[in-house]
Amino acid sequence: MAYLESILKVLGIGLLLGAGLPAVLALGLVAYSRGEGGDGTDGAATAPNPAFKFLGIAAFVFVGWVILTAVLWITRATIIHHTGVDLFPFLPKK
């Protein structure tokens, strides 16, 4: 049962990061482009919407934060070895 639980955890994280982050980035792109305003497909002008623009930027910041945290998590042993700084002191070490 422990193996099945571990496999499901890895599958869940893989789906979340593998499909979830690109989906959040795509939604951020759509929100940001709608926030810009401009001419629609029918030629009608639309006003800029700051809320959509903020939502798009927030999505970009979130995706960047997740990627940066993942890189730091993967390289944490090297960072601790070379600098002595533990970026994740609240998490248990192996």
Side-chain angles (χ1 to χ4, degrees), residues 46-57:
T46 57
N49 188 341
F52 276 133
K53 199 169 186 180
F54 176 77
L55 185 64
I57 292 171

Side-chain angles (χ1 to χ4, degrees), residues 1-65:
M1 194 62 170
Y3 291 121
L4 180 61
E5 185 178 324
S6 297
I7 289 171
L8 290 176
K9 285 181 183 179
V10 169
L11 178 65
I13 294 296
L15 286 175
L16 178 70
L17 296 178
L21 282 180
V24 169
L25 183 65
L27 291 174
L29 285 170
V30 170
Y32 189 81
S33 67
R34 287 192 181 168
E36 281 292 312
D39 294 333
T41 56
D42 59 354
T46 57
N49 188 341
F52 276 133
K53 199 169 186 180
F54 176 77
L55 185 64
I57 292 171
F60 300 151
V61 169
F62 175 73
V63 170
W65 173 75

